[in-house]
Amino acid sequence: MKLISVAIDGPAGSGKSSVSKIVASQVQYLYIDTGAMYRAVTLALQEAQVDICDEVAVERMLAQSEISLNREAAGYKVYLNGRDVTTAIRTPIVSDQVSSVAALGVVRRKMVELQRQMAAGGGVILDGRDIGTVVLPQAELKIFLTASVEARAKRRFAEYQQQGEAITLDAVIENIKARDYQDSHREIAPLTCADDAIIVDNSNLSLEETATYIIKLIKEKQA
Ligand code: CDP
Ligand code: CDP
């Protein structure tokens, strides 16, 4: 059996990370949530009140920030300089600024380098916006996972409600639309479907149905 690299790209709330976690645990691959890395950088910059237009200050902060992704008994955890920031990186405050931070060349260069190091060796699933186009253009399987704006916003809204975040559905729709636009129109590595990606619209599919389909595709490629 051949270990392959799997790229899952798509817009906010399309199910990339939830589906990737299920798939990775079923096929025993390493899962790398690249969005979590951009979120952790955003949190580090916000906490230190760094002006993101100040490239030197951003670069300094990047050099001081150690980001790690760990799979633990309690689930996937994100650490920033040894501190568990898994919950802190998912707040609306981070969501509002992350696309601006992710548009910075200095940030992307560092993240892409780290992601390629983590993915070396194969047997990996990376989810994000530019995995199939930039990070791993040689990935054996590329999925572009999408869903309608309404379906994606409702899913995110339900998560915020569970966390007790005071936010309206309209505000979530606005954030999702704004990030879709910003992520698709930035100069460096914009969100776009790779030519050789398989488009999966899961607006009307459950997580399990989506994961089952992707697992089938992985098994075909591994054979
Ligand atoms: O989970 P959600 O779709 O809300 O976002 P995420 O995957 O956590 O990614 C947060 C943000 O990071 C995205 O809106 C992008 O701006 C950025 N990102 C990126 O630019 N490139 C990636 N490979 C992954 C995320
Ligand atoms: O990583 P990304 O932003 O693409 O999405 P996610 O965080 O994996 O999914 C957003 C929410 O939608 C999660 O609560 C998922 O459980 C839910 N979801 C769903 O209910 N049905 C799907 N087919 C896909 C995602």
Side-chain angles (χ1 to χ4, degrees):
M1 192 187 74
K2 182 170 80 164
L3 292 181
I4 65 161
S5 300
V6 183
I8 303 190
D9 290 302
S14 59
K16 299 179 300 297
S17 58
S18 315
V19 170
S20 299
K21 283 176 196 163
I22 300 174
V23 173
S25 95
Q26 293 269 325
V27 299
Q28 297 192 342
Y29 274 22
L30 174 69
Y31 165 55
I32 299 167
D33 179 349
T34 66
M37 298 170 71
Y38 289 98
R39 285 174 178 274
V41 172
T42 305
L43 182 70
L45 293 168
Q46 287 179 340
E47 287 183 340
Q49 298 185 343
V50 173
D51 173 2
I52 67 164
C53 299
D54 182 346
E55 197 175 308
V56 174
V58 172
E59 205 156 9
R60 197 179 313 124
M61 183 50 64
L62 279 169
Q64 291 167 6
S65 305
E66 199 211 330
I67 297 164
S68 54
L69 308 176
N70 291 351
R71 189 177 171 195
E72 299 175 6
Y76 287 90
K77 298 279 178 191
V78 184
Y79 291 89
L80 174 63
N81 297 327
R83 175 166 62 105
D84 182 351
V85 294
T86 314
T87 309
I89 61 167
R90 304 275 163 208
T91 62
I93 300 167
V94 172
S95 296
D96 278 343
Q97 207 189 13
V98 63
S99 290
S100 303
V101 171
L104 303 173
V106 60
V107 172
R108 297 207 76 82
R109 278 193 293 281
K110 172 97 187 264
M111 293 303 114
V112 170
E113 186 191 324
L114 279 174
Q115 289 155 15
R116 287 186 179 146
Q117 280 169 11
M118 291 193 259
V124 288
I125 300 179
L126 276 75
D127 87 312
R129 303 291 189 288
D130 61 339
I131 310 302
T133 50
V134 174
V135 180
L136 300 177
Q138 79 290 5
E140 288 89 344
L141 179 63
K142 298 180 187 177
I143 306 287
F144 191 81
L145 190 62
T146 189
S148 68
V149 173
E150 292 71 27
R152 294 188 280 123
K154 279 186 189 155
R155 291 170 183 175
R156 233 339 99 75
F157 180 61
E159 284 181 332
Y160 282 135
Q161 280 194 313
Q162 268 195 340
Q163 291 161 10
E165 268 309 333
I167 189 164
T168 62
L169 178 61
D170 281 348
V172 178
I173 292 174
E174 281 320 304
N175 172 264
I176 288 212
K177 281 188 181 166
R179 280 201 291 142
D180 283 356
Y181 185 87
Q182 228 177 323
D183 292 344
S184 314
H185 290 83
R186 68 179 172 224
E187 232 168 89
I188 315 167
L191 167 65
T192 162
C193 180
D195 292 340
D196 49 351
I198 298 169
I199 300 174
V200 179
D201 185 327
N202 74 354
S203 305
N204 298 309
L205 293 180
S206 69
L207 277 180
E208 290 69 25
E209 287 168 329
T210 314
T212 302
Y213 177 61
I214 295 173
I215 291 167
K216 180 175 125 328
L217 296 175
I218 294 176
K219 292 201 166 145
E220 284 169 8
K221 293 277 181 188
Q222 284 183 154

